[in-house]
Every structure is written in C-alpha cells, then in structure tokens.
Amino acid sequence: MSSKLYPLILLIIILVFGAWSGIKPLDTRLTWVLEILPVMMALPVLLITYRRFPLTSLTYTLIAIHAMILMLGAHYSYAKVPLGFWMEDWFGWTRNNYDKIGHFMQGFGPTIYTREIISRTSPLKRGKWLGFISIAVPLAFSAVYEIIEWLASLSNPTDTEAFLGTQGYIWDTQSDMFLCLLGSIVALILLTKLHNKYLLKAGS
C-alpha cells in the first residue's frame, strides 16, 4: 500500500470512529470531552506536521489504535465499556478494567512515538539511553495526566467522577502509572527491531 494512502485510510477510520464516539455518550458531555481531549490535541499537530515530518507507518498505526481505545472509552465512560465487563466475567475481576487497557497503551504507544522523534531529530544513538528516555517520557505524561484528573475532580466532583474512573479502587492512580511503565517496557521488547527497520526506510 502507498505510504501516502495508508495514513489517509487511518485518518478516515479515526474520524469515523470519533464521530460515533460523540453520538450520545453514556456519561456527561464534559466527561466525553475530557476523555477524548488527547486525540483532539494530537490530531491537528499530526496533520500540520505531516508534510514536513511524516512518521513511519508503524507509528501511525499505533497512534490510530491508541486513539480508538481512548474514543471507545470516552463513549462508554470507561467503567461501562462492554469489553471490560466481558473481562470481568472471564477473569473473575470485581471491577471493569477497560481503563487499564488505556493506561497500558499510554505507555506502549508513546514509547514508540518518543523513540521515533528522538531518533530522527537528535544525535542520540540507539541504545540504552534512547530506551530509557523512551520510557521516561510516557511515564512523565502519565503522571501529568493523573494530576489533571485530580485537578478536574477538585473543580467539579460530580461531573468528573466518571473521568476519574477509580470505581472505589484506592490504588487506581498507582496501578495506572505502573501499567504505563509495563506498556513501555513491552513495546521496547516487542517492537524495537521492527521499529528500527521502519526508521531505516525513513532514512534515520
């Protein structure tokens, strides 16, 4: 498939999925906006920088998957996503853990995004330091996101309850950041060699 056609197809899929996500979300409109905000912020940046700095197909694919996970969670407000209820039955859990998929992906995807940007824009060679920074950046964003959730809960406790998605679990914040860390490590283990091939094609 053409390197130009593939990102366009992914963009169309994301736009269609996003439109569906915004149709009668199960919680408040504010919750939906807060949950989908990362996609709303990232998409214009990707479109503006596409011609000057196109990313690899692997990275665009991960971004699309990440976006759809967020938009699905936004539509159902995470605690009510059907997949989470199915997993609850399969594994005998006591809560809907779909949000944990989102936090795992919060590390899995951004680790590759970070690795690509640093590899292509800095003199840092591929190796341990690149791996360390590729993990550290998503973890930093994860921490910032948890702070945003906390501030949102202080500003409007009623409308942002679903946004927090703790479901009564007192270690929710800590487990969210741990899953981000786990996702980052898994991404490096599984995708480093494949990503290097894509970077080679991109001339980096």
Side-chain angles (χ1 to χ4, degrees):
M1 186 179 296
S2 167
S3 59
K4 293 183 179 180
L5 181 61
Y6 184 66
L8 178 60
I9 292 173
L10 290 178
L11 175 61
I12 293 171
I13 292 172
I14 290 172
L15 292 176
V16 171
F17 205 88
W20 166 82
S21 174
I23 298 173
K24 296 182 179 179
L26 294 192
D27 210 273
T28 66
R29 181 59 63 178
L30 174 60
T31 297
W32 180 82
V33 170
L34 290 172
E35 298 289 10
I36 207 170
L37 189 60
V39 180
M40 292 179 175
M41 294 172 63
L43 190 57
V45 175
L46 290 170
L47 292 174
I48 291 170
T49 60
Y50 175 72
R51 289 186 179 276
R52 182 167 51 89
F53 193 79
L55 302 173
T56 61
S57 295
L58 174 62
T59 297
Y60 280 132
T61 301
L62 291 174
I63 290 172
I65 294 170
H66 195 176
M68 287 187 286
I69 288 172
L70 293 176
M71 292 187 289
L72 181 64
H75 179 77
Y76 288 105
S77 74
Y78 280 91
K80 300 173 186 175
V81 176
L83 176 59
F85 291 126
W86 299 341
M87 292 191 300
E88 198 174 338
D89 293 335
W90 296 338
F91 302 111
W93 291 335
T94 57
R95 73 189 293 275
N96 187 315
N97 277 317
Y98 178 81
D99 65 314
K100 301 307 178 188
I101 296 175
H103 285 285
F104 179 88
M105 193 64 194
Q106 193 178 58
F108 192 89
T111 292
I112 301 302
Y113 318 156
T114 303
R115 188 174 189 273
E116 177 152 333
I117 292 170
I118 293 176
S119 293
R120 296 175 59 185
T121 61
S122 78
L124 185 64
K125 296 180 180 179
R126 291 167 204 164
K128 294 179 180 178
W129 276 109
L130 178 60
F132 173 77
I133 295 173
S134 298
I135 290 174
V137 171
L139 271 178
F141 275 103
S142 179
V144 169
Y145 201 76
E146 296 300 332
I147 292 171
I148 291 171
E149 287 186 345
W150 169 60
L151 292 175
S153 71
L154 293 178
S155 64
N156 196 332
T158 303
D159 273 357
T160 57
E161 183 178 354
F163 175 54
L164 294 179
T166 58
Q167 301 179 64
Y169 181 43
I170 62 171
W171 303 114
D172 184 70
T173 298
Q174 290 84 351
S175 63
D176 287 348
M177 289 188 287
F178 170 74
L179 281 165
C180 175
L181 171 62
L182 185 62
S184 295
I185 294 170
V186 171
L188 287 181
I189 292 172
L190 295 181
L191 298 179
T192 292
K193 288 184 179 179
L194 179 61
H195 191 217
N196 285 342
K197 292 180 181 178
Y198 276 95
L199 290 174
L200 188 61
K201 290 180 183 178
S204 301

